[in-house]
C-alpha cells in the first residue's frame, strides 16, 4: 500500500514531464527551442519534436508569405511635383535565427516597424532620383520603379532575417492642398481646348456660309440674266408679229387693238360704258367703219404659216411643282383636240 501510494505521484509527474517535452511544429510554422534565452535548436520542418521540460521553451514564427501595408508618405520627383504614395510589400521570415537575434522578443510587430522604415526610405530614394518625374511614376514604368525599390530594400531586410518577395505601389495621388490648383489648371486647359475647337468650327461654318451665299448670288444673277434675255427675245418676236400684222392691214389692226383695249377696261359682270362717236378712245374703231361697213379682208393678204412659225412655242418649265406641271399638261392636251376640231 505504502509503495503504491508513493509510485503514483511519481508516475503522474513522469507523464506530465513526457507530455511537456513533446511539441508539434505545423507545416506553416518555423520554431526555435530556447534555453535560458539561448537558441538550442532550429526547427523548420513540420513534425513531432522534443525539448527539455521547464528548462527549454519553444518560440513559433509564421513561415508563410506575409503582407505589410506601408504608411502614406509624400515624395518629390525630379520635376518638383509632390506626390502622395501608398505601397505594400509581401515578405517572409527566411532566417529564424537572425530574425530572433534582430527583433528579440518583439517578434513580427517590431520586424514590421523596421521593415516599414526601410521601405519608406527606399521609396523616397528611388522616386526622388534623377530622371524620375511624376509622369514616369504615373506611367507603366512604375512597375520598374517598384522592382528597384524591392531590390534595394532586400539588402536591409536581409539583416532582419526577412526576404522581400514583392513590392507594389498601390496609389499615387496629389496632396490635398494641391488638388484644387491642379483641377483648376486641368479645367482651364480643357476650356482652352474647347474654345479653340469652337473657334475652328465657327471659322469653317463661316467659310461654308460665305460659299453658299456666293453660290446663291451667282445662281440668281445667272437666272435673272437668262430671264431678261428670254424676255427680250420674246418681246422682239412679239413686236415683229405686231408690226407685220399692222403692215398687212392697218385699219383692221387698229380696229382689233381698240376692241382689245375695250375688253380689258370693262368688267365682264356688271360694267357699262357709254362713249361719244367723237371719243378718241373709239376714234380708230369708228374711223375704220364706213357707211358700207368694214371692208372684206382677203385671206391671201396674210401669211398665216409664217405668223405661226414666228410665234414662240409654249413650253412648261421643269422647275414648276409637279402638281402644277401636271395641270398645265392636262390643259394643253385638252386644248389640242379642240384646235384640231376647229381646224
Amino acid at each position: 500500500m505504502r509503495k503504491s501510494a508513493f509510485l503514483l505521484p511519481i508516475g503522474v509527474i513522469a507523464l506530465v514531464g513526457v507530455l511537456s517535452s513533446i511539441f508539434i511544429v505545423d507545416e506553416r510554422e518555423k520554431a526555435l527551442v530556447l534555453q535560458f534565452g539561448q537558441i538550442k535548436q532550429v526547427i523548420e520542418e513540420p513534425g513531432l519534436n522534443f525539448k527539455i521540460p521547464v528548462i527549454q521553451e519553444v518560440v513559433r514564427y509564421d513561415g508563410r508569405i506575409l503582407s505589410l501595408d506601408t504608411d502614406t508618405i509624400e515624395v518629390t520627383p525630379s520635376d518638383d511635383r509632390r506626390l502622395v504614395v501608398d505601397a505594400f510589400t509581401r515578405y517572409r521570415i527566411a532566417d529564424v535565427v537572425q530574425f530572433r537575434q534582430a527583433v528579440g522578443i518583439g517578434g513580427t510587430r517590431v520586424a514590421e516597424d523596421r521593415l516599414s522604415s526601410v521601405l519608406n526610405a527606399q521609396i523616397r530614394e528611388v522616386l526622388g532620383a534623377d530622371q524620375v518625374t511624376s509622369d514616369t511614376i504615373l506611367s507603366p514604368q512604375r512597375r520598374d520603379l517598384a522592382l528597384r525599390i524591392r531590390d534595394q530594400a532586400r539588402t536591409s531586410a536581409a539583416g532582419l532575417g526577412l526576404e522581400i518577395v514583392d513590392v507594389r505601389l498601390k496609389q499615387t495621388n496629389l496632396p490635398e492642398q494641391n488638388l484644387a490648383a491642379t483641377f483648376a489648371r486641368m479645367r482651364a486647359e480643357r476650356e482652352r481646348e474647347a474654345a479653340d475647337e469652337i473657334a475652328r468650327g465657327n471659322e469653317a461654318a463661316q467659310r461654308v456660309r460665305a460659299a453658299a451665299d456666293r453660290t446663291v448670288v451667282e445662281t440668281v444673277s445667272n437666272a435673272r440674266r437668262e430671264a431678261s434675255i428670254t424676255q427680250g427675245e420674246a418681246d422682239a418676236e412679239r413686236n415683229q408679229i405686231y408690226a407685220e400684222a399692222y403692215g398687212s392691214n392697218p385699219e383692221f389692226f387698229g380696229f382689233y387693238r381698240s376692241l382689245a383695249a375695250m375688253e380689258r377696261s370693262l368688267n365682264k359682270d356688271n360694267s357699262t360704258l357709254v362713249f361719244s362717236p367723237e371719243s378718241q378712245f373709239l376714234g380708230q374703231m369708228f374711223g375704220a367703219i364706213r357707211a358700207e361697213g368694214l371692208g372684206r379682208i382677203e385671206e391671201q393678204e396674210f401669211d398665216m404659216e409664217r405668223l405661226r412659225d414666228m410665234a414662240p412655242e409654249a413650253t412648261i418649265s421643269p422647275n414648276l411643282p409637279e402638281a402644277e406641271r401636271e395641270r398645265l399638261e392636262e390643259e394643253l392636251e385638252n386644248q389640242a383636240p379642240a384646235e384640231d376640231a376647229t381646224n
Side-chain angles (χ1 to χ4, degrees):
M1 286 293 293
R2 291 180 180 178
K3 188 175 181 179
S4 299
F6 179 74
L7 292 176
L8 183 60
I10 295 176
V12 171
I13 294 172
L15 180 61
V16 171
V18 172
L19 293 177
S20 61
S21 65
I22 299 173
F23 65 95
I24 299 174
V25 176
D26 190 84
E27 63 270 11
R28 296 167 297 180
E29 297 176 334
K30 296 179 180 181
L32 292 177
V33 178
L34 304 179
Q35 180 175 338
F36 303 116
Q38 300 296 322
I39 299 174
K40 294 298 183 180
Q41 187 178 1
V42 179
I43 303 172
E44 295 183 349
E45 298 296 329
L48 185 66
N49 297 276
F50 298 92
K51 66 180 180 66
I52 300 175
V54 181
I55 298 176
Q56 294 181 341
E57 62 174 339
V58 179
V59 179
R60 304 171 188 270
Y61 298 102
D62 198 330
R64 297 173 295 180
I65 295 177
L66 305 176
S67 177
L68 171 64
D69 291 333
T70 63
D71 296 332
T72 301
I73 61 174
E74 287 190 7
V75 297
T76 304
S78 59
D79 56 356
D80 294 330
R81 293 178 59 186
R82 291 194 302 169
L83 297 175
V84 177
V85 179
D86 186 10
F88 72 92
T89 183
R90 297 284 189 269
Y91 74 97
R92 63 185 174 187
I93 300 174
D95 189 342
V96 289
V97 175
Q98 191 172 6
F99 181 78
R100 175 69 183 188
Q101 293 174 347
V103 302
I105 61 175
T108 305
R109 179 180 59 80
V110 175
E112 288 186 348
D113 290 342
R114 295 186 182 180
L115 182 59
S116 180
S117 300
V118 170
L119 288 174
N120 289 343
Q122 296 303 323
I123 289 172
R124 285 193 172 91
E125 180 179 349
V126 172
L127 300 186
D130 294 339
Q131 309 302 324
V132 177
T133 65
S134 56
D135 293 335
T136 305
I137 298 173
L138 298 175
S139 69
Q141 299 180 17
R142 63 187 299 166
R143 177 56 185 163
D144 297 334
L145 298 176
L147 293 178
R148 287 173 55 186
I149 295 172
R150 181 199 65 183
D151 295 339
Q152 295 183 17
R154 277 181 173 176
T155 303
S156 300
L160 299 175
L162 303 176
E163 178 188 359
I164 296 179
V165 178
D166 193 14
V167 174
R168 296 291 179 92
L169 301 177
K170 289 196 302 183
Q171 294 183 355
T172 305
N173 297 320
L174 294 171
E176 290 293 334
Q177 60 271 23
N178 296 346
L179 284 177
T182 302
F183 290 155
R185 184 174 63 254
M186 294 172 62
R187 188 181 302 109
E189 292 176 356
R190 298 301 178 270
E191 289 176 353
R192 179 181 56 78
E193 293 176 359
D196 292 342
E197 292 294 333
I198 292 173
R200 284 192 290 268
N202 291 335
E203 181 182 358
Q206 188 65 29
R207 287 197 300 268
V208 172
R209 282 194 291 267
D213 293 341
R214 177 180 177 182
T215 303
V216 169
V217 171
E218 292 177 351
T219 303
V220 172
S221 299
N222 292 334
R224 287 176 178 172
R225 180 175 58 84
E226 295 294 333
S228 299
I229 294 173
T230 303
Q231 185 176 0
E233 293 175 351
D235 291 342
E237 292 182 4
R238 181 193 63 184
N239 294 334
Q240 184 179 358
I241 293 172
Y242 282 159
E244 294 192 3
Y246 180 78
S248 299
N249 193 330
E251 293 180 356
F252 177 77
F253 184 76
F255 177 71
Y256 175 77
R257 294 299 297 270
S258 297
L259 289 178
M262 287 182 63
E263 182 182 7
R264 287 194 297 271
S265 64
L266 293 176
N267 189 338
K268 63 181 180 178
D269 295 330
N270 57 0
S271 297
T272 302
L273 290 178
V274 178
F275 292 98
S276 171
E278 290 80 14
S279 173
Q280 293 182 358
F281 184 72
L282 299 176
Q284 292 182 354
M285 183 173 68
F286 283 100
I289 301 175
R290 293 168 176 73
E292 65 277 8
L294 289 172
R296 186 175 181 275
I297 301 173
E298 297 295 335
E299 184 177 357
Q300 61 270 15
E301 296 179 8
F302 296 96
D303 189 353
M304 302 302 295
E305 292 298 329
R306 189 167 62 84
L307 292 176
R308 288 193 184 96
D309 293 338
M310 292 175 63
E313 250 181 63
T315 58
I316 300 175
S317 174
N319 297 326
L320 290 175
E322 186 176 355
E324 184 66 19
R325 189 170 61 252
E326 292 178 355
R327 185 183 67 80
L328 294 176
E329 290 176 353
E330 185 178 353
E331 289 181 358
L332 291 176
E333 291 176 358
N334 294 335
Q335 290 175 2
E339 292 176 357
D340 294 341
T342 304
N343 296 332

